[in-house]
Amino acid sequence: MTAVKVGIIGYGYWGPNLTRNFYELPNAELTAIADLSDERLKQAAMKYPHVAVRHDHHELFDLGLDAVVIATPPITHYSIAKECLEHNLHVFVEKPITLKSEHARELIELADPRD
């Protein structure tokens, strides 16, 4: 079985925990981490030196990822998840998925045909 190439978006509060979990999965390949903070990216690069670090999550779209994990502030979940789905990525969103139920429904509709 080919490993799923995973990128992490957000290395703040939950990001390090989710990064560790995906790094330890035998069928996942942690490929990239994106965060706006230089300090957080520095921490990530020290812990995972073989993983690409980027300031802008848009840069992850050209890395051949299969999936992303979104661990950013909840207000950003909808827009980031929508962009990732539109780039044909599988998406794991830390809770809450969105702040509005209609946004959650829209993301489900975008994701459903990709299953």
Side-chain angles (χ1 to χ4, degrees), residues 1-7 22-23 25-31 64-69 89-91:
M1 178 181 218
T2 304
V4 176
K5 293 183 179 182
V6 178
F22 279 88
Y23 178 76
L25 287 174
N27 293 330
E29 178 185 332
L30 181 61
T31 304
L65 299 177
D66 299 305
V68 293
V69 175
L89 294 169
H90 294 278
V91 176

Side-chain angles (χ1 to χ4, degrees), residues 1-104:
M1 178 181 218
T2 304
V4 176
K5 293 183 179 182
V6 178
I8 307 293
I9 302 174
Y11 198 74
Y13 187 74
W14 280 107
N17 297 320
L18 292 164
T19 300
R20 183 190 70 247
N21 290 334
F22 279 88
Y23 178 76
E24 293 176 356
L25 287 174
N27 293 330
E29 178 185 332
L30 181 61
T31 304
I33 299 169
D35 196 285
L36 297 175
S37 166
D38 288 333
E39 184 59 34
R40 290 185 196 135
L41 287 180
K42 183 177 172 184
Q43 292 169 4
M46 288 177 54
K47 186 150 184 122
Y48 305 99
H50 67 287
V51 174
V53 293
R54 303 287 189 266
H55 282 103
D56 188 340
H57 72 274
H58 295 101
E59 295 179 50
L60 273 56
F61 298 154
D62 297 325
L63 298 179
L65 299 177
D66 299 305
V68 293
V69 175
I70 300 172
T72 58
I75 196 164
T76 66
H77 288 180
Y78 167 72
S79 61
I80 293 172
K82 184 176 179 182
E83 288 176 325
C84 292
L85 288 167
E86 289 170 344
H87 280 85
N88 295 313
L89 294 169
H90 294 278
V91 176
F92 173 97
V93 183
E94 180 53 39
K95 64 184 179 186
I97 186 170
T98 64
L99 297 179
K100 296 181 178 181
S101 58
E102 59 267 19
H103 286 166

